[in-house]
Amino acid sequence: MRLVQALAGLMLLCCSTLPTRANPPPDRILDQRHRFDIHVQPLSGALRQLSSQTGVRILFPYEEVSAIRSRRVEGWMTTGQALQKLLAGTQLRMTQTSAGVIALAAPSRATARQSPLSFQLAQAASAPVSGPVTDVTPIIVTGTRLVTRTVADSMVPIDILSARAMEANGRQSVRDLLGALVPAISVSNSGAGASFAIKTLSLRGLAGDQLLVLVNGKRRHNSATLFINGTTQNGQSPPDLDLIPSNMIERIEVLRDGASAHYGSDAIAGVVNILLKDARRGGASIVGGGTWDGGGEQGRFQIDKGFAIGRGTIHLAADGVLQGRTVRGGPITSSLYFPGDPREATADRMRNKPGQPQVSGVNLAYHAVMPLGASELYSHGTWSRRRADAYLTYRPPNSILSIPDIYPEGYIPHLSIQDRDSQVTGGLRGDGPAGFRYDLSTSYARNEGRYSEQSLNVSLGPTSPTRFFLGAVTATEWTSNIDVQRDVPLGLAEPLLLAIGAEYRENRYRIAAGDPASHADGGYRSPPGAPFAGATRTPGAQGVTGFTPDSAGRYRRHNWSAYLNLEQKVAQGVEVALAARHEDYSDFGTTNTWKISTRIEPLRGIALRGTVSTGFRAPTLQQRYYASSSTIGVLFPGETTTRLAPVRALQVDDPVAIAWGAQPLRPERSTNLSAGLVLAPLPRLSMTIDAYQIRIRDRILLGGILSGLPDATRASGYNVLGELLLTRGLDPVQSGFYFSNAASTRTRGIDIVANWRADLGALGSALVTLSGNINRTIFTRLDVPQVLADLGVNLIDRARQGDVTRGTPRSKIIANLNWTRGEATLNLRATRYGDVTQVAARTVTVDGATFYPDEHIAPKILFDLEYSLQLAAGVRLAAGANNLFNIYPTKLSAVNQGTSGFALYNSYAPYGISGGFYYGKLSLAF
């Protein structure tokens, strides 16, 4: 410590004896260019920050200035330009003194009443500003094109997740961070087959692809893989947020309101805008941990740093992760071997391996800015590689899905997915003539999922290979934008913001076929005298069947759009905004959306806000063209337990889907209503309450599983669905499902967010946040194709309806305490998840009683805890736990567990089935 003090004293002595840099000539003070990052705050603080960033001294009347709210000033510009932006609309006059000091003066009648002590000097010699000013109402850029709007001023509800809030968390992926910190967001992670590695987000109980994701305000691409054979989020291909390094993020803005008029398709539920770092500082961290009950080990290393490149900057980030699998299954209760086999008595019955997959991956990202006169070039991008693998359901030796000659002890299909993902965005923005500001940008993205499997094709018999390439899916997106805006004085409280723009987007989708053996029907029959002699065997690889040449193909569509946005402060405390957008798609035509918002502040600290808007979501190319087959558990009519059977995901123009009533997909359309109350009764206390209603017409949903089956009681030998196929010359014994617009829904709910900042004196300081969401979705329309209605068969069956109405928590409440004292920080969070129900598709009869075997997950409260300590400047050590008390969801009933041991805990639980995760973390800042 004495050495450190001595070095510090020596540095101070050297600095004090250095010659003072001469001030530049007065006429050149304002012409020097700098990169500014000044947030909305009292004008007095903004002037001090400008002085710190430029070295210019500014004399200003404190009492006059401190009551004024500053504008946001960001980007490369001269000192004079930055000062003009800060002073716009203030009536303050600026002059230069011979000593090189900038003096600001109020109108003369006001200046006469000022005391000399009320003038203060902002100069570079004052305490330096190391970063953006932290403000309790930070600037926002989502849902508005006004560059001075804050959270408190917003006409729509927005959550801000700062880098600091995300760092005080054992969850390192972007998706899990959002699920942990935003009560209106739920995470689903129960995809089966080819989608087990994807987790999706639900905002306000809606689908993951009804939530638009932006990065620095630019559209993020969707995943090529379709989330299917899962739970509540079936049939979606949303952006994969795990492929964005969390250490590259400066903050995240979550807009909880419809925004299709602003951003186009997908923004029915809201928008997540991820803002990347561009500062020159950096950091690194390493996290290691595992679950209480074994497995799930995780190691994650992250590093990021900003650099100067000429007059510009570039920020780079890398994120690497290794995640082990968890096994949370139960014993197999059915027989494993054929009768008389002595191995049955001593067999290991814990053979299934359900749980989180094993994952390894690396994510890279950059964000660069380069000034060019009055404009600046910018670019950002990500590059990712990820491999995930998981085990599917065990096939015992005595199953028709097994070949004992190859696997004497049976086998578990082992599925692997390799993701290759990249996106790069570039643009030019700046000030144009006549006060116009412009932004030209283009972005190209590509996502590819390659599937492989270790299993068996039983239709090939003992000659079957055991390793298969199943095929690949690839999605690309090219988006180009032009945005222009200008302030137009109309003589009202503030100038009108006029923004216009256009966008062109092209999407491509490709399905590549797998190895012939992965989908072939070899026609193998067991010889006479052998088990299953003469029985038909299921073709294709077990688990997930390879893509066939018939399902392979290349698909494309494009669209263009134009928008108009107006924002006007009519009078003090009264603001309105209008937005309208026209879209033209190559495959389903045109659509128009609009939005009207208003905010009224009748009293200081109390504001009312409301929005009426329309929205839409175009069916993705994945939903239109994806086709696959998986062997999954199916509950057939008259049976009490599921059995493994091949089920096809059908394109809407597949002959089987058409026979069962499929129609071409149309876009979803929505109407959003919201009303909110903003309260700031005390300087450190704020609260928002927002109620909403979202009606979605022609909602795109996956139907239930339709099965054509043998039925000896009917003349044709098949059930009614099989007969429909038989009359079309199709195989009458098969199962499948397809997408449709057969439903309309209504979602109502309320969001509450309250923040209190407490100064505890010698005990430090604390930020207490209480937030919650309550919502409910109901069906207002359920159509059944006439061909199915005539047979008494539902398309959207009871289980699929339940996924929409009861599959996500009825409520979610988060209480968070962040306490800091000296070098120590404690973050404690309690999350209560409300009711969730897994709804059954069909009744079962057990012991003479017939009932629907619905599964109810009781409300649970989970605690997360992290304690961190700064060991030295830039060095912090932390330890914590997610799900501190190792809470598990409700176990399934015996009828839904079945006999395989694969289904033990309810996979609908929004907090997973792996239990508590405990970790340590070392962080460096530089």
Side-chain angles (χ1 to χ4, degrees):
M1 180 61 69
R2 292 181 181 272
L3 178 60
V4 173
Q5 292 174 340
L7 289 174
L10 181 61
M11 292 177 63
L12 180 62
L13 178 63
C14 292
C15 290
S16 64
T17 57
L18 288 175
T20 303
R21 184 181 63 184
N23 287 328
D27 59 347
R28 298 190 56 189
I29 291 177
L30 301 181
D31 294 333
Q32 295 179 345
R33 291 180 60 83
H34 303 273
R35 178 170 174 79
F36 293 95
D37 187 12
I38 302 176
H39 282 224
V40 175
Q41 57 189 296
L43 182 57
S44 56
L47 291 172
R48 291 191 181 97
Q49 195 172 358
L50 183 143
S51 175
S52 177
Q53 293 181 12
T54 63
V56 173
R57 296 183 296 171
I58 305 172
L59 183 67
F60 61 87
Y62 179 77
E63 293 179 5
E64 184 80 17
V65 167
S66 61
I68 301 173
R69 192 81 171 162
S70 76
R71 292 174 175 264
R72 174 69 185 267
V73 177
E74 183 181 28
W76 286 93
M77 63 188 76
T78 66
T79 302
Q81 290 172 332
L83 198 53
Q84 289 288 351
K85 285 180 177 289
L86 288 178
L87 300 182
T90 65
Q91 297 184 338
L92 293 169
R93 297 194 309 272
M94 176 180 65
T95 58
Q96 291 183 234
T97 70
S98 57
V101 176
I102 302 298
L104 304 181
S108 57
R109 61 181 181 277
T111 306
R113 297 192 295 268
Q114 298 287 341
S115 163
L117 295 178
S118 67
F119 285 81
Q120 295 197 6
L121 184 68
Q123 54 184 344
S126 60
V129 180
S130 59
V133 174
T134 302
D135 192 85
V136 296
T137 54
I139 193 73
I140 60 172
V141 297
T142 309
T144 179
R145 302 186 191 276
L146 191 64
V147 297
T148 60
R149 194 173 296 283
T150 67
V151 170
D153 299 333
S154 175
M155 287 184 271
V156 291
I158 290 184
D159 297 309
I160 302 291
L161 308 183
S162 66
R164 180 177 179 182
M166 291 185 284
E167 289 167 359
N169 202 304
R171 296 173 176 85
Q172 299 296 303
S173 75
V174 178
R175 171 211 59 219
D176 287 339
L177 285 167
L178 287 167
L181 300 176
V182 181
I185 288 180
S186 294
V187 177
S188 175
N189 181 28
S190 55
S195 59
F196 68 87
I198 298 178
K199 288 185 178 180
T200 64
L201 293 180
S202 170
L203 177 64
R204 289 180 161 179
L206 299 183
D209 51 11
Q210 291 164 335
L211 172 66
L212 177 63
V213 176
L214 307 174
V215 175
N216 282 350
K218 308 301 179 182
R219 179 179 287 265
R220 181 74 176 179
H221 64 282
N222 286 12
S223 170
T225 298
L226 194 68
F227 187 84
I228 209 164
N229 298 334
T231 57
T232 58
Q233 302 297 307
N234 264 313
Q236 301 167 38
S237 52
D240 193 335
L241 295 176
D242 283 353
L243 303 182
I244 301 174
S246 62
N247 60 319
M248 186 65 184
I249 298 175
E250 182 66 32
R251 71 181 188 274
I252 300 177
E253 299 180 358
V254 181
L255 168 63
R256 294 178 274 113
D257 197 23
S260 292
H262 282 285
Y263 302 111
S265 178
D266 305 344
I268 287 179
V271 177
V272 169
N273 190 8
I274 297 170
L275 302 171
L276 304 180
K277 294 178 180 178
D278 62 359
R280 298 184 186 180
R281 59 184 182 274
S285 69
I286 184 168
V287 178
T291 64
W292 180 268
D293 295 312
E297 298 85 4
Q298 184 179 127
R300 185 180 290 266
F301 175 75
Q302 296 182 322
I303 185 169
D304 71 280
K305 182 69 173 73
F307 304 92
I309 47 172
R311 293 188 301 160
T313 60
I314 186 170
H315 201 100
L316 306 174
D319 168 34
V321 62
L322 293 172
Q323 174 186 283
R325 64 173 48 88
T326 58
V327 178
R328 299 295 185 263
I332 300 172
T333 58
S334 60
S335 61
L336 302 177
Y337 304 94
F338 292 107
D341 193 319
R343 292 177 293 177
E344 189 72 51
T346 59
D348 176 15
R349 315 198 78 81
M350 299 292 293
R351 301 197 181 189
N352 269 307
K353 300 179 180 181
Q356 75 179 22
Q358 180 172 287
V359 178
S360 61
V362 60
N363 303 316
L364 306 177
Y366 77 92
H367 182 202
V369 179
M370 175 65 69
L372 290 175
S375 303
E376 64 179 13
L377 283 170
Y378 64 90
S379 180
H380 63 264
T382 59
W383 180 94
S384 301
R385 293 292 185 269
R386 180 179 65 190
R387 181 185 180 92
D389 68 82
Y391 290 101
L392 308 182
T393 307
Y394 170 72
R395 274 73 164 162
N398 66 356
S399 168
I400 196 173
L401 303 177
S402 187
I403 302 292
D405 291 345
I406 301 178
Y407 292 112
E409 292 294 324
Y411 65 99
I412 308 178
H414 190 188
L415 182 62
S416 174
I417 299 180
Q418 292 184 349
D419 285 299
R420 301 176 180 179
D421 185 274
S422 60
Q423 181 166 358
V424 61
T425 300
L428 177 69
R429 63 193 172 205
D431 296 329
F436 282 97
R437 300 178 294 277
Y438 67 90
D439 186 346
L440 304 173
S441 68
T442 190
S443 178
Y444 180 79
R446 184 178 187 273
N447 179 266
E448 180 187 40
R450 301 176 61 84
Y451 312 133
S452 58
E453 184 177 279
Q454 180 179 347
S455 62
L456 189 65
N457 184 340
V458 292
S459 75
L460 298 176
T463 63
S464 171
T466 58
R467 294 182 181 274
F468 306 91
F469 171 65
L470 305 178
V473 291
T474 306
T476 64
E477 183 169 291
W478 176 38
T479 305
S480 298
N481 298 84
I482 177 170
D483 302 289
V484 179
Q485 63 184 54
R486 186 179 188 274
D487 294 329
V488 181
L490 297 179
L492 299 175
E494 289 186 1
L496 168 72
L497 174 69
L498 168 66
I500 57 175
E503 176 181 281
Y504 175 84
R505 186 165 73 251
E506 180 175 286
N507 293 92
R508 295 177 183 264
Y509 185 58
R510 175 176 179 259
I511 301 177
D515 296 335
S518 72
H519 53 75
D521 185 352
Y524 174 74
R525 303 290 188 273
S526 297
F532 309 112
T536 301
R537 300 291 183 121
T538 301
Q542 279 295 305
V544 177
T545 302
F547 293 110
T548 67
D550 290 341
S551 63
R554 297 173 181 267
Y555 312 98
R556 173 184 178 273
R557 81 151 168 238
H558 64 271
N559 73 287
W560 67 269
S561 61
Y563 77 84
L564 169 68
N565 186 199
L566 305 172
E567 296 187 39
Q568 175 69 69
K569 187 172 185 179
V570 179
Q572 190 63 37
V574 180
E575 297 178 82
V576 294
L578 306 175
R581 191 180 190 94
H582 173 80
E583 299 261 354
D584 190 327
Y585 280 77
S586 61
D587 52 357
F588 65 77
T590 63
T591 185
N592 299 301
T593 56
W594 53 268
K595 183 173 184 177
I596 302 174
S597 302
T598 186
R599 183 181 186 275
I600 302 173
E601 188 172 2
L603 298 173
R604 184 176 179 83
I606 300 176
L608 303 172
R609 62 189 179 192
T611 299
V612 181
S613 66
T614 61
F616 79 103
R617 186 180 75 82
T620 63
L621 294 180
Q622 292 89 318
Q623 290 173 327
R624 294 191 63 187
Y625 299 112
Y626 183 87
S628 69
S629 179
S630 301
T631 303
I632 60 175
V634 181
L635 182 65
F636 290 116
E639 300 183 4
T640 59
T641 58
T642 61
R643 68 184 150 98
L644 293 172
V647 177
R648 296 174 59 200
L650 302 168
Q651 296 178 356
V652 292
D653 58 358
D654 186 284
V656 174
I658 293 174
W660 286 339
Q663 297 289 330
L665 293 177
R666 305 182 304 276
E668 300 175 341
R669 302 182 187 276
S670 68
T671 302
N672 293 46
L673 305 174
S674 67
L677 176 64
V678 181
L679 300 173
L682 299 173
R684 297 180 180 178
L685 176 64
S686 64
M687 176 182 293
T688 62
I689 305 171
D690 292 277
Y692 58 89
Q693 175 180 280
I694 307 169
R695 288 184 177 270
I696 303 177
R697 301 177 298 282
D698 299 329
R699 186 161 177 176
I700 301 171
L701 296 174
L702 270 181
I705 297 175
L706 303 173
S707 297
L709 297 171
D711 186 348
T713 65
R714 299 177 61 85
S716 65
Y718 304 100
N719 68 359
V720 292
L721 292 173
E723 283 184 348
L724 285 177
L725 301 181
L726 191 64
T727 58
R728 301 286 186 103
L730 303 169
D731 179 3
V733 181
Q734 53 181 313
S735 298
F737 46 77
Y738 62 84
F739 286 98
S740 75
N741 295 97
S744 296
T745 62
R746 186 193 70 202
T747 300
R748 286 177 176 170
I750 187 169
D751 294 321
I752 301 175
V753 180
N755 294 285
W756 177 51
R757 298 175 182 270
D759 184 357
L760 305 178
L763 297 179
S765 61
L767 172 61
V768 180
T769 302
L770 180 64
S771 56
N773 169 262
I774 302 173
N775 78 88
R776 183 188 181 200
T777 298
I778 64 171
F779 283 92
T780 58
R781 177 181 66 90
L782 270 175
D783 289 344
V784 181
Q786 193 59 49
V787 68
L788 297 182
D790 292 342
L791 303 176
V793 177
N794 284 326
L795 175 60
I796 311 296
D797 65 11
R798 188 174 182 270
R800 296 292 194 215
Q801 295 177 40
D803 288 348
V804 174
T805 60
R806 304 174 68 184
T808 55
R810 179 77 172 82
S811 62
K812 183 179 176 184
I813 300 172
I814 302 175
N816 198 99
L817 168 65
N818 186 276
W819 172 75
T820 301
R821 182 185 181 190
E823 309 300 333
T825 299
L826 176 72
N827 195 80
L828 175 63
R829 179 170 51 253
T831 305
R832 182 189 185 275
Y833 296 92
D835 295 323
V836 176
T837 301
Q838 177 182 344
V839 176
R842 297 183 178 91
T843 60
V844 297
T845 301
V846 180
D847 297 330
T850 301
F851 59 94
Y852 285 103
D854 296 345
E855 294 286 352
H856 180 69
I857 302 178
K860 297 283 181 69
I861 300 177
L862 275 65
F863 289 87
D864 300 337
L865 177 68
E866 179 176 292
Y867 177 79
S868 66
L869 183 65
Q870 183 167 308
L871 304 180
V875 181
R876 182 170 289 272
L877 185 65
N882 298 331
N883 189 357
L884 177 64
F885 299 110
N886 198 33
I887 301 297
Y888 281 84
T890 311
K891 285 186 177 182
L892 296 170
S893 61
V895 68
N896 284 320
Q897 282 190 31
T899 60
S900 69
F902 190 85
L904 181 61
Y905 294 102
N906 196 319
S907 59
Y908 278 65
Y911 43 87
I913 64 171
S914 295
F917 177 79
Y918 306 85
Y919 63 91
K921 178 167 61 176
L922 176 64
S923 302
L924 305 176
F926 43 79

